[in-house]
């Protein structure tokens, strides 16, 4: 019991003991036998195991690296200081600019003229539209009227911002002339939305971004890109298809690009806007900006994430440490865990799998990975989710798969313990 004070805190342990002792008293008062001290201790430990924090830690065995339900990109370790120079200039000893350190890093890393950070990408788009397009028209291709899941629907968000959506083209094909014909005095901007979570193939076309930028120049209408994923490194190096990075998008001359902080940037939840001072200036002045501002913990994590990329050390960011782990290393770790499980009589296979980046980043594309295949179905998956730490898995045919692509090597030991506890009940 003393050992569990470390893990659960003395108060929780005391409360569990009191509750078990009072249960036992009641039992004795009703004429029952007094439980043995061993039984009391067992019950206390059970109670403690059942008590979980509001957001329990999870080992991600799903093979989806950016899992929206598990917090998207894994977060950098490290604690927020109690007090920090958040809006304080330590040199001058007076009030400083809250976003200055982030804006400086974003501009350097992405080569952008101006930058702004809000609470998430939906907020970024909302602020952009509210500041530039309230009561005016925004032109969007019918092939890009996206729903991201968890209630982000482009047409609805646009309506809420006060912008009027003007749809052009068809689901599969939109031409430059479609945009051309839609532009008039009421047009506030052309919005391009990235097809983050689906893929269109076959008889499809849409104008190149450069053509839209050109049209925007000719007509004096800005071009905005809801890029979404925040792709900033060449994905080709991880065996995925190259897609235009945020830097490459900016180089086409678009007015603004916006994306999430917790997808391919590998940072905390945030909405990042980059572009010209002309595009971002009105957002900075807008009263909604204050309503959408990110918490200090986000700014601290974002600065540290950007510092890693600026230093050319993407592997210091947890998502890129996972992405940079080679499949044969995953296989080696899977075999080692399997040996430990077999030594306890558990039957387990090591199988090659395909993992996914997830989070609406690279739909239809997978990465080579390795998993532990455990004979069992929903009941085993449920036991694993109930363990401490909880292990979230993928179920396939008659197996529960624990894919190692999103498991950090330092979690292997606690993963093994959790698997043993679920597979050999009573022997932990
Ligand atoms: C993910 C995504 C969003 C929503 O971003 P949040 O940060 O979840 O608000 C919006 N647009 C695109 C294209 C996306 O990929």
């Amino acid at each position: 019991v003393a050992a569990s004070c470390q893990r659960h805190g003395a108060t929780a342990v005391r409360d569990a003991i009191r509750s078990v002792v009072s249960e036992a008293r009641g039992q004795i008062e009703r004429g029952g036998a007094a439980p043995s001290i061993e039984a009391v201790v067992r019950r206390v430990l059970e109670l403690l195991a059942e008590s979980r924090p509001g957001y329990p830690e999870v080992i991600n065995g799903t093979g989806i690296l950016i899992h929206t339900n598990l917090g998207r990109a894994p977060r950098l370790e490290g604690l927020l200081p109690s007090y920090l120079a958040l809006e304080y200039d330590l040199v001058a000893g007076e009030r400083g600019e809250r976003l200055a350190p982030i804006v400086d890093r974003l501009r350097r890393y992405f080569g952008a003229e101006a930058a702004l950070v809000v609470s998430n990408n939906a907020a970024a788009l909302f602020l952009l539209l509210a500041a530039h397009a309230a009561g005016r028209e925004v032109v969007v291709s019918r092939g890009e009227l996206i729903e991201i899941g968890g209630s982000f629907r482009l047409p609805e968000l646009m309506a809420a911002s006060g912008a009027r959506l003007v749809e052009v083209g068809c689901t599969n094909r939109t031409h430059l002339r479609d945009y051309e014909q839609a532009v008039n005095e009421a047009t506030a901007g052309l919005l391009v939305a990235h097809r983050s979570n689906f893929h269109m193939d076959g008889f499809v076309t849409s104008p190149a971004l450069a053509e839209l930028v050109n049209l925007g120049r000719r007509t004096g209408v800005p071009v905005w890109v809801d890029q979404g994923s925040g792709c900033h490194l060449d994905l080709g190096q991880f065996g995925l298809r190259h897609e235009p990075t945020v830097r490459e998008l900016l180089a086409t001359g678009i007015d603004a690009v916006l994306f999430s902080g917790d997808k391919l940037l590998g940072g905390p939840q945030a909405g990042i806007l980059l572009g010209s001072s002309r595009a971002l200036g009105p957002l900075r002045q807008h009263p909604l900006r204050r309503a959408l501002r990110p918490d200090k913990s986000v700014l601290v994590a974002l600065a540290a994430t950007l510092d890693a990329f600026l230093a050319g050390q993407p592997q210091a960011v947890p998502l890129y440490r996972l992405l940079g782990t080679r499949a044969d290393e995953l296989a080696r770790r899977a075999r080692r865990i399997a040996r430990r499980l077999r030594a306890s009589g558990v039957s387990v296979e090591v199988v090659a799998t395909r993992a996914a980046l997830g989070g609406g980043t690279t739909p239809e594309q997978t990465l080579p990975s390795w998993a532990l295949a455990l004979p069992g179905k929903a009941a085993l998956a449920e036991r694993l989710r109930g363990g401490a730490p909880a292990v979230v898995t993928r179920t396939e045919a008659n197996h529960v798969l624990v894919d190692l692509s999103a498991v950090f090597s330092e979690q292997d030991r606690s993963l093994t313990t959790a698997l043993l506890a679920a597979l050999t009940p009573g022997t932990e």
Side-chain angles (χ1 to χ4, degrees), residues 19-333:
S19 141
V20 173
V21 168
S22 127
E23 233 174 76
R25 280 209 187 95
Q27 203 173 310
I28 296 165
E29 276 162 15
R30 288 191 300 275
S36 68
I37 186 69
E38 289 77 15
V40 170
V41 169
R42 212 163 37 239
R43 183 75 197 118
V44 167
L45 295 180
E46 268 172 27
L47 266 188
L48 286 170
E50 284 163 14
S51 74
R52 288 191 153 186
Y55 298 93
E57 184 184 352
V58 153
I59 292 182
N60 178 2
T62 62
I64 300 169
L65 274 68
I66 305 176
H67 195 303
T68 298
N69 305 143
L70 303 181
R72 283 201 182 150
R75 286 201 64 162
L76 273 174
E77 305 279 339
L79 281 179
L80 191 65
S82 314
Y83 290 109
L84 66 166
L86 179 66
E87 294 177 22
Y88 189 70
D89 182 336
L90 284 174
V91 177
E94 55 191 41
R95 188 189 175 125
E97 174 52 49
R98 184 181 169 100
L99 277 190
I102 298 287
V103 166
D104 164 61
R105 285 163 172 80
L106 286 171
R107 290 179 56 205
R108 276 192 285 140
Y109 186 56
F110 290 103
E113 186 181 55
L116 192 61
V117 182
V118 290
S119 47
N120 61 15
N121 191 33
L125 183 57
F126 191 78
L127 182 59
L128 179 80
L129 294 171
H132 284 286
R136 304 182 64 204
E137 296 181 354
V138 175
V139 184
V140 187
S141 159
R142 289 198 172 88
E144 297 170 0
L145 295 175
I146 53 173
E147 172 175 312
I148 299 295
S151 74
F152 179 96
R153 304 184 94 192
L154 190 63
E156 291 170 12
L157 187 124
M158 288 182 73
S161 75
R164 278 201 307 282
L165 167 62
V166 175
E167 303 177 12
V168 295
C170 289
T171 304
N172 55 331
R173 292 174 73 80
T174 303
H175 305 276
L176 184 63
R177 61 171 184 276
D178 295 322
Y179 287 93
E180 255 161 1
Q181 283 158 14
V183 173
N184 62 50
E185 314 76 72
T187 308
L190 311 179
L191 176 65
V192 175
H194 187 243
R195 295 186 188 120
S196 295
N197 51 6
F198 68 106
H199 182 63
M200 290 213 302
D201 221 346
F203 192 51
V204 297
T205 191
S206 47
L209 202 50
E211 292 180 280
L212 289 182
V213 168
N214 203 338
L215 170 63
R217 292 256 162 82
R218 275 189 284 127
T219 54
V221 169
V223 177
W224 306 313
V225 179
D226 176 8
Q227 195 278 337
S229 73
C231 173
H232 62 109
L233 292 171
D234 175 15
L235 292 181
Q237 64 184 299
F238 306 114
L240 295 162
R241 249 197 322 271
H242 175 81
E243 65 172 272
T245 62
V246 168
R247 202 176 241 282
E248 288 164 358
L249 293 180
L250 281 169
T252 64
I254 55 170
D255 294 83
V257 59
L258 37 144
F259 55 90
S260 301
D262 53 357
K263 293 181 179 173
L264 282 178
L265 192 63
Q269 179 190 306
I272 295 168
L273 291 128
L274 306 172
S276 64
S277 306
R278 202 176 46 136
L280 299 193
L283 280 66
R284 216 170 277 126
Q285 311 304 328
H286 199 281
L288 263 176
R289 181 193 162 185
R290 172 59 183 251
L292 303 174
R293 90 176 182 180
D295 175 63
K296 60 182 181 240
S297 59
V298 168
L299 301 178
V300 169
L302 198 52
T305 304
L306 290 166
D307 281 342
F309 296 131
L310 280 165
Q313 309 206 307
Q315 69 285 356
V317 174
L319 175 67
Y320 288 90
R321 180 141 81 82
L322 293 175
L323 261 178
T325 306
R326 295 166 45 95
D328 47 10
E329 168 65 10
L330 297 178
R332 196 183 60 74
R333 283 168 48 200

